[in-house]
Amino acid sequence: MSQEIYQYDVPFLTRPRTENIEKHFSQLYGTKHTFWLTGGGTQGVLTACALLGTQYQRVAIALNSHISVINGIILAGLEPYFIPSKSLMPTTEEVISALETSGVSALLLTHPSYEGVTIDLAKIANYCRNQDIALAVDEAHGSHFPFLDQQWQSAISVGADIVTHSMHKYTGSLVQTALLHLPNSSRFTMEQVMGVLPLFETTTRSNLLMLSLEDAIKKGYSAEGQALFEQAIRECDRLRSQLDSYGKVLTYDAQVRDPLKIFLKSD
């Protein structure tokens, strides 16, 4: 019956027809599988929530979660547990303490924060593995991390189960382009993702968005792209050095660890 219904649409960019593209992305990112998305990081987060909802009931989230996390939790019928924290972005200790006492079976963490604050994601991922807690990471504001030096680790490389990237923010592709990654250590399979992903996408994908996504990833991993990222990091470091001599008139938040982001403050 589903095939009979499906044939009444005109599906051009179906996933089977773009299988080689996704395999190429997976090789570049070093993942079990990487899915292209044309519904933005929101599509990735909704898919992650739906995937968690097929196996888990209670999920821990931070106060800095994107609205798509809230919508995804509602749609998936999950029970949210808000991690108690002094600021919107919880510390490493606050996350682990919440996991120890809340009885949750899944964690959906927004990391890095919008401002560029990072915590010890590897330590959290290790705790989740040891306690059999599923870890999903909304890395919308860290989509450039895979292109940078290893010291700025993406959630892909620290043991998360599912990672989403919003590609227009820092990698130069068009708005609505995004990626959903299954790292090699993920407890989820490609088939499980495909069981929920079609719920959040159109059957008529944009060729323009797909081309933009391919181009941005290709450039990010190229020698030219790497040089541009390195240049941008040097310029940010130079600006921080200049700000150090301004006193309190104009300074920056030292908690921001993202090398490409400067959060300015003034008295």
Side-chain angles (χ1 to χ4, degrees), residues 113-117 141 144 170 231-244 246 250-266:
S113 71
Y114 170 79
E115 295 82 7
V117 176
H141 292 280
H144 53 303
Y170 307 100
Q231 179 185 351
I233 290 173
R234 287 195 301 271
E235 291 296 329
C236 287
D237 286 340
R238 187 168 67 88
L239 179 54
R240 291 187 191 94
S241 296
Q242 291 177 333
L243 290 170
D244 285 338
Y246 283 8
L250 186 62
T251 185
Y252 58 92
D253 188 345
Q255 293 185 87
V256 175
R257 305 302 302 166
D258 185 335
L260 293 178
K261 182 163 282 188
I262 301 175
F263 197 81
L264 296 175
K265 299 189 296 183
S266 174

Side-chain angles (χ1 to χ4, degrees), residues 40-216:
T42 291
Q43 183 186 356
V45 170
L46 294 176
T47 302
C49 288
L51 185 60
L52 293 176
T54 61
Q55 299 183 34
Y56 307 101
Q57 182 176 2
R58 200 163 190 235
V59 58
I61 62 173
L63 297 175
N64 68 330
S65 297
H66 188 261
I67 185 62
S68 60
V69 173
I70 306 302
N71 292 337
I73 284 175
I74 294 171
L75 289 172
L78 288 164
E79 178 187 346
Y81 173 80
F82 288 92
I83 298 170
S85 57
K86 292 182 180 180
S87 60
L88 293 179
M89 178 71 168
T91 64
T92 305
E93 291 70 27
E94 286 172 335
V95 172
I96 292 179
S97 176
L99 296 178
E100 290 174 337
T101 59
S102 61
V104 299
S105 51
L107 168 64
L108 202 170
L109 195 61
T110 302
H111 184 275
S113 71
Y114 170 79
E115 295 82 7
V117 176
T118 63
I119 55 180
D120 193 341
L121 193 59
K123 184 176 181 179
I124 293 170
N126 185 61
Y127 179 88
C128 288
R129 277 196 304 274
N130 292 336
Q131 299 300 318
D132 195 27
I133 296 172
L135 174 59
V137 180
D138 174 10
E139 203 169 71
H141 292 280
S143 57
H144 53 303
F145 280 9
F147 305 126
L148 305 183
D149 188 87
Q150 282 298 312
Q151 63 177 302
W152 294 287
Q153 287 185 316
S154 166
I156 294 173
S157 61
V158 299
D161 292 298
I162 189 165
V163 181
T164 63
H165 278 158
S166 176
M167 297 300 286
H168 74 91
K169 291 179 172 65
Y170 307 100
T171 59
S173 61
L174 294 175
V175 173
Q176 286 185 221
T177 54
L179 296 172
L180 187 151
H181 307 278
L182 288 183
N184 286 321
S185 59
S186 177
R187 68 183 63 207
F188 300 113
T189 66
M190 178 182 175
E191 290 72 25
Q192 287 174 316
V193 174
M194 285 306 302
V196 293
L197 180 55
L199 296 172
F200 305 106
E201 67 180 356
T202 175
T203 54
T204 308
R205 287 89 173 192
S206 166
N207 299 50
L208 183 60
L209 292 180
M210 279 293 299
L211 182 61
S212 170
L213 187 57
E214 281 189 87
D215 186 60

Side-chain angles (χ1 to χ4, degrees), residues 14-34:
T14 60
R15 293 202 175 269
R17 292 183 183 181
T18 59
E19 184 178 0
N20 287 335
I21 297 174
E22 290 193 336
K23 285 183 177 178
H24 180 58
F25 290 169
S26 304
Q27 290 172 352
L28 289 173
Y29 281 92
T31 61
K32 182 192 301 185
H33 196 82
T34 291

